[in-house]
Amino acid sequence: MSAIRRKFGEDYQVVNTNRGMTFSAPVKRKRQRFVEKNGRCNVQHGNLGGETSRYISDLFTTLVDLKWRWNLLIFILTYTVAWLVMASMWWVIAYIRGDLSHGGHDSSYTPCVANVYNFPSAFLFFIETEATIGYGYRYITEKCPEGIILFLFQSLLGSIVDAFLIGCMFIKMSQPKKRAETLMFSQDAVISQRDGKLCLMFRVGNLRNSHMVSAQIRCKLIKSRQTPEGEFLPLDQCELDVGFGTGADQLFLVSPLTICHEINTKSPFFDLSQRSLMNEQFEIVVILEGIVETTG
């Protein structure tokens, strides 16, 4: 019996199990994909109403989802603006108290912050305090309650900004997008017989030596269909069984493995003939989940 022939993803190779012959894949046809090979979904949301406010309400996730160039720009601008604003507040206190007029040379005068007599010195004092460098040349005196209050406010604000931005950068660097580049899927999917059963098969492998803990694989068939009530579903998702009952979907991904979907009476491909399968428009999305051993 000849195997069913169909293009899955970009390439497909058909194996004739009776004659032992291999047919070349059909010519590639450029078409719009629901999910790209790199995992990016080609879905754009629009005309929902209040999109901007929803993104701002979850600002942390919005920053994590931004591209690296925007993250770095926001990171630099936030710290630069915060430094300039806080340094200006220290300069304003020194100006109001008259510390600037003494120029830091009157030993009998007790300023709010010692040796702060212009904006650059106020900026240096802020940086020394914020970075906990503490050179010992500039310090707050006990006769400046407003300076003590500003110092406490600066410490709290600095901790919040550091936790927010550094946490955002850490989560963005630990995202699995780059790790996924070392998870390889076979370029071709085949339909052939295995153990006397017609199966859809493809391979997956891990290039790194670090293991993936609790690796699990799932397959989704995405195609349009019409319900018996006449409702049209443009992107209906159907689960493809890749061994849920037998535990074959739980992978020990040390060496490349062949994933198998049996085309039985429960398979969405069971009622399709060779010709109808070639004319069908659908997409199979393979989802590999797991925990990276080195980073968790």
Side-chain angles (χ1 to χ4, degrees):
M1 182 181 67
S2 298
I4 300 174
R5 184 176 178 182
R6 171 64 180 161
K7 174 185 174 184
F8 289 91
E10 294 181 354
D11 292 328
Y12 177 70
Q13 188 175 8
V14 181
V15 179
N16 190 312
T17 56
N18 286 343
R19 301 179 183 178
M21 298 176 61
T22 300
F23 297 91
S24 300
V27 179
K28 294 182 181 180
R29 293 177 298 174
K30 187 66 177 178
R31 65 184 181 89
Q32 183 71 20
R33 297 178 60 94
F34 183 69
V35 179
E36 296 289 349
K37 286 286 190 178
N38 57 7
R40 185 177 63 88
C41 297
N42 292 323
V43 178
Q44 293 183 354
H45 304 283
N47 300 324
L48 298 178
E51 298 177 47
T52 304
S53 60
R54 292 176 184 271
Y55 284 122
I56 295 178
S57 62
D58 190 11
L59 185 59
F60 186 82
T61 306
T62 302
L63 290 177
V64 173
D65 290 339
L66 288 177
K67 294 184 178 180
W68 266 110
R69 55 178 176 267
W70 297 113
N71 273 106
L72 293 176
L73 179 62
I74 293 174
F75 188 88
I76 294 173
L77 286 179
T78 302
Y79 274 106
T80 301
V81 171
W83 289 349
L84 292 177
V85 170
M86 293 303 301
S88 300
M89 295 178 70
W90 285 110
W91 180 85
V92 168
I93 290 180
Y95 176 81
I96 294 176
R97 289 177 57 89
D99 297 346
L100 304 181
S101 59
H102 290 79
H105 303 293
D106 189 356
S107 58
S108 61
Y109 178 75
T110 303
C112 178
V113 180
N115 301 307
V116 171
Y117 41 82
N118 53 25
F119 184 79
S121 60
F123 184 80
L124 287 175
F125 170 73
F126 165 76
I127 294 297
E128 293 174 17
T129 305
E130 180 66 21
T132 63
I133 296 175
Y135 292 120
Y137 185 66
R138 298 178 180 87
Y139 53 89
I140 302 176
T141 61
E142 68 279 2
K143 295 184 178 180
C144 184
E146 59 271 26
I148 297 175
I149 295 175
L150 180 59
F151 170 75
L152 296 176
F153 174 75
Q154 171 187 322
S155 300
L156 293 175
L157 181 63
S159 299
I160 295 174
V161 172
D162 289 342
F164 190 86
L165 293 180
I166 294 176
C168 176
M169 286 294 181
F170 176 78
I171 292 178
K172 191 167 183 64
M173 286 187 294
S174 61
Q175 282 184 324
K177 293 181 179 180
K178 296 300 180 181
R179 178 64 176 88
E181 294 182 0
T182 54
L183 293 172
M184 303 296 295
F185 290 85
S186 57
Q187 197 69 18
D188 301 324
V190 299
I191 291 181
S192 181
Q193 286 189 348
R194 169 180 281 189
D195 297 329
K197 302 175 183 178
L198 199 62
C199 300
L200 164 68
M201 294 178 288
F202 59 91
R203 302 190 78 194
V204 60
N206 182 17
L207 296 182
R208 293 189 179 275
N209 293 326
S210 58
H211 295 170
M212 289 191 64
V213 183
S214 302
Q216 181 180 15
I217 196 163
R218 297 185 294 124
C219 292
K220 290 284 187 178
L221 175 66
I222 300 177
K223 61 175 295 186
S224 60
R225 73 178 182 93
Q226 190 170 7
T227 64
E229 295 79 13
E231 180 184 2
F232 179 73
L233 304 176
L235 294 173
D236 184 56
Q237 299 184 14
C238 176
E239 194 81 17
L240 294 182
D241 188 2
V242 289
F244 305 133
T246 61
D249 60 321
Q250 305 291 333
L251 306 181
F252 183 53
L253 201 57
V254 178
S255 60
L257 300 176
T258 300
I259 310 302
C260 179
H261 164 66
E262 180 183 344
I263 303 179
N264 52 24
T265 55
K266 297 181 180 180
S267 173
F269 301 126
F270 184 76
D271 295 329
L272 298 178
S273 63
Q274 178 179 356
R275 179 174 298 179
S276 61
L277 188 61
M278 292 177 63
N279 297 326
E280 283 286 333
Q281 294 293 329
F282 62 88
E283 186 170 329
I284 296 178
V285 179
V286 180
I287 304 170
L288 177 62
E289 300 174 308
I291 301 173
V292 180
E293 183 183 33
T294 53
T295 62

